[in-house]
Amino acid sequence: MPAAIYPGSFDPFTNGHLSLIQRGLQMFDRLIVAILVNPKKTPLFSIEERREMIQGAVKDPRIEIDSFQGLLVEYAKKKKVSVVLRGLRAVSDFEYEFQLANMNRKLQPDIETVFMMTGEDYFYVSSNLVREVASLGGNVKGLVPQNVLTKLKAKYSGG
Ligand code: ADP
């Protein structure tokens, strides 16, 4: 399959995201990792910081890192890509992802969402939880790439 868009907040980028990208690249020739710009949320890391994190963690020429605002289906149309890649961790992800995939299909019937299951090592890893644990001084080593770990430490030690 030629290309897919892997959209997300990636705030921060975790080993769960990384695992999905690595496995996605076995299915697709090219992946566009698309950072969602959400003006309603105050992120921990800026778009530029997140872009650098992903760049530092994924060294593969088949990856394009981009950002987008607004409707994913419009972005996909603009990029001329008709497949969206998403991850499923637990049943709790299912309901939201199911709604999202169907809404996107309603908006743009020729865009298909493909799901990959998380690896058993990362099924409990979310950006949310990583942020929370790191902010409380917990060690998230092994759950995020080394460059992200360094960034998190700097953020929470006031550096
Ligand atoms: P999160 O849900 O961790 O806050 P994102 O919104 O950036 O992060 O997630 C982008 C996509 O990556 C979603 O489809 C999400 O289900 C998937 N994803 C995130 N973490 C994992 C993981 N540990 N394993 C598999 N998929 C994941």
Side-chain angles (χ1 to χ4, degrees), residues 24-54:
L25 282 172
Q26 292 174 359
M27 282 176 68
F28 299 99
D29 292 342
R30 208 160 53 82
L31 277 186
I32 301 173
V33 182
I35 308 169
L36 170 68
V37 182
N38 186 348
K40 280 184 269 177
K41 277 196 190 164
T42 312
L44 178 62
F45 293 103
S46 69
I47 294 292
E48 206 35 58
E49 283 177 307
R50 281 179 267 167
R51 179 191 289 273
E52 280 169 19
M53 275 180 191
I54 302 169

Side-chain angles (χ1 to χ4, degrees), residues 73-74 76-77 103-112:
V73 291
E74 291 302 324
K77 224 161 66 178
M103 179 58 84
N104 283 338
R105 188 184 292 137
K106 170 100 183 119
L107 294 170
Q108 193 67 51
D110 50 1
I111 290 180
E112 198 55 64

